[in-house]
Amino acid sequence: MQTLLTDRELLESLALDVESILRRHIDAADGWQPHDFVPWDDGRNFAFLHGTDWAPEQSELSEVAKLALTVSVLIADNLPSYHRELGKYLRTGAWWRWVGRWTAEENRHEIMIRNFLMVTRAVDPVELERMRMKHMTDGFRRPGMHLLDVLAACAFEEVAAAIRHRNTAALGESPMVTAIAERIALDDEMQAVVFAELVEAGLNVAPDQAMRAIADQIADFKVPSVTLADGRTSDEVLAVAGIYDPAKENELVFKPLLKRWNVFTRTDLGEAGEAARAELAHLRD
C-alpha cells in the first residue's frame, strides 16, 4: 500500500519539477503585446465624450463570433476568482511564481479582447459591463481540493479553453478575430502543458493519489460558465454554435491527456490507483 503524501509534502517533493517546468515555459513563451491586436484607428468616442453611443448596426461580427468573444472576455474578467482559487494551494516558491505568471498571461487575454470589442464596437458595451458586474460578483469557487486535484482540473480546463478558442478562430470571422483567437489558444495550449507536466510529476511521486485525482476530476469536470443577458448559459449556447460541445470532451479533452500520462500502461499503481484507473476504462482506446 502506497504511503499517502500530504499537500505540503507534495509541494516540497515536486519543487524541483515546478522550477524546471516554469523555466521551460517562460523560455518558450512569446512576449506578444495585447495592443498589437487592436485596430485603434477604428475607435471613436461614445456620447459621454460627445461622440456616438453604441447601436446594433455598428457591429460587423456574426452572432456566433460575438457570443464566443463575450464568453471569453467575461471568463477572463473573473481572473481574480481563479487567481485566488489557484493561489490557495500554491503559495510557496516556484509554485507561487507560476500562479503569478499564469495570472499575468490570462490578464493579457482580457485586455486584448475587451479593447478589441470596444474599439470595433462589436458588442453593446453597456450590456457587457452589466454582465461583467454580475459575473464577477457571483465569482468562482472550487470545492475543497487536494493539490493533485487542482493540477488535474487546471490541465483539463486549459485544454478545453484551447479547443474553444481554436474553434472560434475556425469561424473565419475576420483576420483580426482569427488572430486574437489563435493567439489565446496558443497560450492555453502552453499553459495546459505546464499543468499536464505537473500532473505527470505527481504521478511519478504519488501514482495512486494522482490517479485518484485524475479520475475524480474527469467525473466532476465542467468548464467555466457564463450567464448571458437573455438568461441562457454559455454552455448550451456554445455547444449549439459548435464552439465547445461537452459531448466531445472524452475525445478532445480527456483522452489526449490520459495518453500523455500513460494512464493505461503504468505498472506502478497500488490497489487504490488500480481502482481509480478502472473508473477510466471507458476512455481507453
Side-chain angles (χ1 to χ4, degrees), residues 49-280:
L49 293 179
H50 312 295
T52 304
D53 273 342
W54 184 86
E57 60 271 15
Q58 294 170 0
S59 177
E60 297 180 356
L61 297 186
S62 68
E63 290 303 314
V64 173
K66 286 191 285 188
L67 170 68
L69 291 177
T70 295
V71 170
S72 289
V73 78
L74 289 176
I75 291 174
D77 274 327
N78 215 9
L79 183 59
S81 292
Y82 294 103
H83 172 89
R84 180 194 66 239
E85 290 301 310
L86 190 58
K88 285 194 304 189
Y89 301 93
L90 308 179
R91 294 184 69 90
T92 181
W95 292 99
W96 185 235
R97 293 200 301 279
W98 166 237
V99 173
R101 174 74 191 199
W102 176 86
T103 302
E105 291 180 356
E106 289 292 320
N107 195 38
R108 286 196 295 199
H109 303 166
E110 185 274 339
I111 293 169
M112 174 174 58
I113 301 173
R114 181 168 293 279
N115 283 341
F116 175 81
L117 293 175
M118 295 301 99
V119 167
T120 62
R121 297 184 173 235
V123 300
D124 182 348
V126 175
E127 194 59 61
L128 184 64
E129 178 62 9
R130 288 172 179 158
M131 286 192 287
R132 186 190 71 85
M133 292 291 288
K134 181 182 186 309
H135 188 57
M136 291 191 68
T137 301
D138 291 343
F140 169 80
R141 289 175 178 81
R142 294 188 188 278
M145 286 183 171
H146 292 294
L147 175 64
L148 295 173
D149 292 280
V150 173
L151 299 178
C154 288
F156 295 135
E157 286 170 0
E158 290 296 350
V159 170
I163 292 168
R164 177 162 50 86
H165 289 118
R166 287 294 180 194
N167 285 336
T168 301
L171 293 173
E173 184 72 24
S174 73
M176 284 310 305
V177 170
T178 298
I180 287 170
E182 287 182 342
R183 178 62 261 178
I184 297 175
L186 183 57
D187 276 8
D188 293 335
E189 288 159 358
M190 294 182 69
Q191 292 166 351
V193 168
V194 173
F195 285 114
E197 289 183 344
L198 290 172
V199 172
E200 187 173 1
L203 278 163
N204 293 334
V205 170
D208 276 16
Q209 286 174 261
M211 194 64 70
R212 181 71 269 161
I214 291 168
D216 287 346
Q217 294 314 306
I218 287 178
D220 294 338
F221 185 70
K222 185 170 174 46
V223 294
S225 181
V226 171
T227 300
L228 303 174
D230 60 8
R232 295 178 298 169
T233 66
S234 58
D235 294 350
E236 56 184 308
V237 178
L238 290 179
V240 172
I243 301 296
Y244 187 84
D245 187 354
K248 297 180 180 179
E249 284 174 344
N250 286 351
E251 294 296 329
L252 301 180
V253 178
F254 305 139
K255 284 187 176 182
L257 283 172
L258 296 183
K259 182 177 181 179
R260 179 189 183 105
W261 295 327
N262 298 313
V263 162
F264 297 111
T265 58
R266 300 188 71 92
T267 59
D268 55 356
L269 298 178
E271 184 177 347
E274 291 289 1
R277 178 161 62 180
E279 296 172 19
L280 302 173

Side-chain angles (χ1 to χ4, degrees), residues 1-6 9-10 205-209:
M1 181 177 179
Q2 295 179 13
T3 302
L4 294 179
L5 300 180
T6 65
E9 290 171 331
L10 284 167
V205 170
D208 276 16
Q209 286 174 261

